[in-house]
Amino acid sequence: MTDAVGSIDMPDAEDEAPQSKKNRKGGKRGKKGPLGRLALFYRQIVAELRKVVWPSRSQLTTYTTVVIVFVVVMIGLVTVIDYGFQEAVKYVFG
């Protein structure tokens, strides 16, 4: 019987191979000091930011306008509901 990985009766190739290397603590990062790790972190941040698809100026303007309009509409809705509750409480409690 087999599963997605391989045969249940046969062990994986990774399991058969003896480990010739010692298990190092930390790998490559274990050899670097705090400044080296900080520099690696900074390089990784820059690499990730290069992958970002930045919006064009017109897209940014559109997105900003949509957000501002949505916030203004929500403020108006909450204000109307709050005023309604205020009037209801005044009516009930005097």
Side-chain angles (χ1 to χ4, degrees):
M1 175 171 238
T2 61
D3 58 358
V5 177
S7 173
I8 294 174
D9 299 329
M10 302 275 303
D12 293 336
E14 296 172 328
D15 297 335
E16 291 178 6
Q19 290 186 350
S20 59
K21 293 182 179 180
K22 291 183 179 179
N23 290 334
R24 290 189 296 186
K25 185 176 181 182
K28 287 184 178 180
R29 283 185 263 164
K31 292 183 179 180
K32 296 181 181 179
L35 292 179
R37 289 192 303 256
L38 188 63
L40 174 66
F41 179 67
Y42 178 73
R43 283 194 307 270
Q44 288 173 344
I45 289 173
V46 171
E48 288 297 321
L49 285 175
R50 286 187 179 144
K51 296 178 189 176
V52 173
V53 179
W54 298 99
S56 65
R57 183 172 295 275
S58 65
Q59 288 174 329
L60 187 64
T61 304
T62 302
Y63 297 157
T64 304
T65 305
V66 167
V67 168
I68 290 173
V69 168
F70 177 77
V71 168
V72 167
V73 168
M74 292 308 295
I75 288 172
L77 183 64
V78 169
T79 302
V80 168
I81 291 172
D82 185 49
Y83 181 75
F85 281 132
Q86 177 184 353
E87 291 301 318
V89 168
K90 280 183 184 178
Y91 178 76
V92 170
F93 295 109

